[in-house]
Amino acid sequence: MPTDASSPIPPALDQLREQPDVGPSEVPGLLELAQVPDPLDPRGVRHALAVVLALTACAVLAGATSLLAVGEWIADAPPHVLERLGVRPDPVLPRRLVPSEATVRRLLARIDGDALDREVGSWLADRRPAGSGLRGLSVDGKSLRGAAKARGRKIHLLAAVEHTAGLVLAQLDVGEKTGETGRFQPLLDHVADLAGMVVTSDALHTQREHAGYLLGRRAHYIAIVKGNQKKLRKQLKSLPWKDIPLQGRTRGTGHGRAEIRRIKVATVNNLLFPGARQAVQIKRRRTNRKTGKTGITTIYAVTSLTAEQATPGQLAQLIRDHWKIEALHHVRDTTFAEDASQLRTGNAPRAMATWRNLAVLRSA
């Protein structure tokens, strides 16, 4: 059913329409998806791949949370929408030939998930807002728990999300036989313009190989240091933090707690990590607003940014903004019921996650 005018999610065509200040030759149209190979036998095909994918995208943008809902949206879509999306007219009846839910399900099950994510990520990258200053990019993973509950293959997706607008610029299936660390570099290989960006991640990705890769791409990093880098953490803890003045203090509330964050930064040249130019110490004092219980956590990090390239306040902001990727995961779970979905057929769960990334951005 078409989206109601009062819906918080704008109508699908408004979301897929080119921006007025962008020429057709400058940005590839999402509806083309020219580089996604068609997984179905071309003999007897009634619906073009791009048309089925565009219809599915529109349905998710309009709020569909399952393939059943996608099929219902397509069946009820008004004629002018179908015409704009390239759906062929019926040669006999006064209607257009729309794909059935079974057709959509079969196609998504066989679709090349990497190719689909590359095309959508490229489309979103072309819509990054212009601006000056440091640009952050979060790398983090999320499991599709519903697929596993349905006795399907465990699907764990690693994504790269731009800090400012929440754009998912790349996404990869980690796979059952590999871990996130092994997919870090292949993921960022799909981000064309990485130079100058500041890549943030959790401690799992604080790896010397990752740092070397980012420096080779002329990007920067902020790496959280925990127990998986024992020597580096020991080196950071031994720095004379008591002699370093406090360089930033912020307050915040959320999730039922009040938080005070204090930051100190030191210029370093001999840390056991490639390209490290500054060491960071953040002390977080969190108070549970219901119980009054208070705890203090100390976090250490290293960055390839020099003191001239980033102030303590900018580093603190980049570290906080990393967790915007969790907001994306939260919306996918709550608004689009991703973890509740027990879709398990082939690559369909991943394809739906790709469209949810797009829908979260456009409904924000």
Side-chain angles (χ1 to χ4, degrees), residues 1-233:
M1 177 176 291
T3 307
D4 185 82
S6 63
S7 170
I9 300 178
L13 279 181
D14 289 343
Q15 300 307 322
L16 295 177
R17 185 178 295 124
E18 297 286 351
Q19 298 298 323
D21 58 343
V22 179
S25 62
E26 296 174 327
V27 179
L30 177 63
L31 301 184
E32 294 178 7
L33 294 169
Q35 302 304 313
V36 180
D38 194 332
L40 300 181
D41 190 326
R43 294 173 296 181
V45 170
R46 301 177 65 193
H47 309 286
L49 171 68
V51 171
V52 179
L53 292 179
L55 286 167
T56 307
C58 285
V60 176
L61 283 162
T65 60
S66 66
L67 286 183
L68 176 61
V70 168
E72 292 174 346
W73 186 92
I74 292 173
D76 293 336
H80 74 276
V81 172
L82 299 178
E83 180 181 3
R84 290 288 301 277
L85 295 180
V87 179
R88 294 188 300 113
D90 190 305
V92 179
L93 301 176
R95 63 175 187 178
R96 291 186 179 267
L97 295 170
V98 297
S100 65
E101 179 202 340
T103 298
V104 175
R105 186 180 297 271
R106 186 168 63 253
L107 187 144
L108 293 186
R110 302 179 187 177
I111 199 75
D112 184 332
D114 287 343
L116 181 61
D117 271 318
R118 280 196 300 270
E119 285 296 294
V120 174
S122 176
W123 187 84
L124 291 173
D126 285 326
R127 282 154 174 76
R128 279 184 288 185
S132 58
L134 297 172
R135 298 177 298 150
L137 186 71
S138 300
V139 174
D140 196 25
K142 181 185 186 300
S143 293
L144 304 185
R145 296 185 178 88
K149 290 177 182 176
R151 297 182 182 179
R153 178 178 71 82
K154 180 181 178 181
I155 299 175
H156 187 80
L157 302 177
L158 187 65
V161 179
E162 188 264 347
H163 283 190
T164 304
L167 301 167
V168 181
L169 303 186
Q171 183 170 269
L172 279 181
D173 188 346
V174 170
E176 293 183 289
K177 297 182 179 179
T178 60
E180 278 192 23
T181 56
R183 301 294 279 168
F184 182 89
Q185 295 184 27
L187 173 77
L188 295 179
D189 282 342
H190 296 314
V191 180
D193 184 18
L194 200 59
M197 297 199 76
V198 183
V199 177
T200 61
S201 57
D202 59 24
L204 176 66
H205 294 291
T206 302
Q207 307 285 339
R208 297 175 63 85
E209 296 80 5
H210 293 358
Y213 168 82
L214 293 173
L215 295 173
R217 294 281 309 272
R218 295 187 296 117
H220 291 287
Y221 64 78
I222 298 177
I224 304 298
V225 180
K226 291 186 178 179
N228 62 330
Q229 294 287 342
K230 293 181 180 179
K231 291 183 179 180
L232 178 59
R233 182 173 173 80

